[in-house]
Amino acid sequence: MTALTDRTSLIIAARSGDESSLNRLLRECRADIRRYAQRHCEMSEVDDAVQETLLIVARRIRSLKAATSFAGWLFTVVRRECRRLTRSMFHHEDWTDERIEAQLASRSDDALRLELASALESLPPHYLEIVLLRDFEELSISEISERLGAPASVVKSRLHRARVLVREYLIGADDGAAGPMLRGP
């Protein structure tokens, strides 16, 4: 039996309520959870994120619709736990879409254009290129992939990250804090 088939059968057994399969699945996933948490959490929060994720998986494994979606679901749980722990550590709230819209609506069109131009200029070149091809030249993901010679998954990932960076820049434009933070990878 391959590792993938073995894990799939563990997930199916755990979903149906088999306690020993659930325990084995949690032991096997612990390293994956830790690795993912190390990328998304502050180092001081990794252990807490791992523990909370294991508890959530144990409680909610039965609600998982398909065994094949386990990995994606698991990483989503880890990412959410990291965000939650970061929010509690820094005592701040996430911006809701309504709050962002209200903030952006309070600015003039000219001010928004200037802020958008500054946000785009702050992007690293590989992100800027993707945004320009997709949002300004209106190319499809497959067309961009073909033009750049990069896999579609890379194009999608860069486009998503670029849009997140632009959004963070625009949200933080009032306090001037976002600009310098965007220079990272």
Side-chain angles (χ1 to χ4, degrees):
M1 194 180 282
T2 67
L4 181 60
T5 327
D6 189 37
R7 177 157 298 177
T8 303
S9 62
L10 274 177
I11 295 166
I12 292 169
R15 277 181 37 211
S16 66
D18 182 7
E19 193 80 23
S20 64
S21 294
L22 175 63
N23 289 332
R24 186 169 162 217
L25 178 65
L26 293 174
R27 278 192 309 274
E28 287 185 13
C29 292
R30 189 180 191 93
D32 293 335
I33 295 169
R34 176 168 291 287
R35 191 172 34 259
Y36 201 71
Q38 287 172 334
R39 282 190 271 154
H40 292 277
C41 290
E42 298 293 323
M43 283 310 290
S44 61
E45 298 171 342
V46 170
D47 290 334
D48 291 339
V50 170
Q51 285 300 99
E52 288 299 318
T53 300
L54 289 170
L55 286 171
I56 290 169
V57 169
R59 280 190 227 128
R60 298 190 182 154
I61 188 75
R62 290 182 182 198
S63 66
L64 186 64
K65 301 272 190 258
T68 55
S69 62
F70 179 77
W73 175 65
L74 181 67
F75 294 134
T76 300
V77 171
V78 174
R79 190 174 56 243
R80 285 182 182 158
E81 277 308 303
C82 288
R83 285 183 190 155
R84 185 186 65 75
L85 289 166
T86 299
R87 276 194 313 270
S88 66
M89 184 170 105
F90 292 115
H91 305 291
H92 70 63
E93 298 176 15
D94 276 343
W95 285 66
T96 64
D97 289 338
E98 295 81 24
R99 188 172 170 193
I100 292 168
E101 283 183 34
Q103 183 191 23
L104 294 176
S106 69
R107 300 180 196 162
S108 71
D109 288 345
D110 289 336
L112 280 174
R113 282 188 196 98
L114 288 173
E115 289 169 13
L116 180 58
S118 295
L120 291 173
E121 286 175 1
S122 73
L123 290 174
H126 62 285
Y127 290 148
L128 178 60
E129 181 178 32
I130 297 285
V131 169
L132 294 176
L133 291 172
R134 179 69 173 155
D135 295 333
F136 291 92
E137 290 188 33
E138 298 181 347
L139 297 179
S140 68
I141 296 296
S142 59
E143 291 169 330
I144 296 169
S145 176
E146 188 177 307
R147 183 180 285 188
L148 298 178
S153 60
V154 170
V155 171
K156 288 178 184 178
S157 175
R158 286 183 184 169
L159 179 62
H160 174 73
R161 182 66 181 145
R163 287 178 174 167
V164 166
L165 290 172
V166 168
R167 181 180 173 158
E168 287 174 357
Y169 188 99
L170 293 174
I171 291 170
D174 281 345
D175 28 326
M181 292 182 353
L182 295 179
R183 297 282 179 197

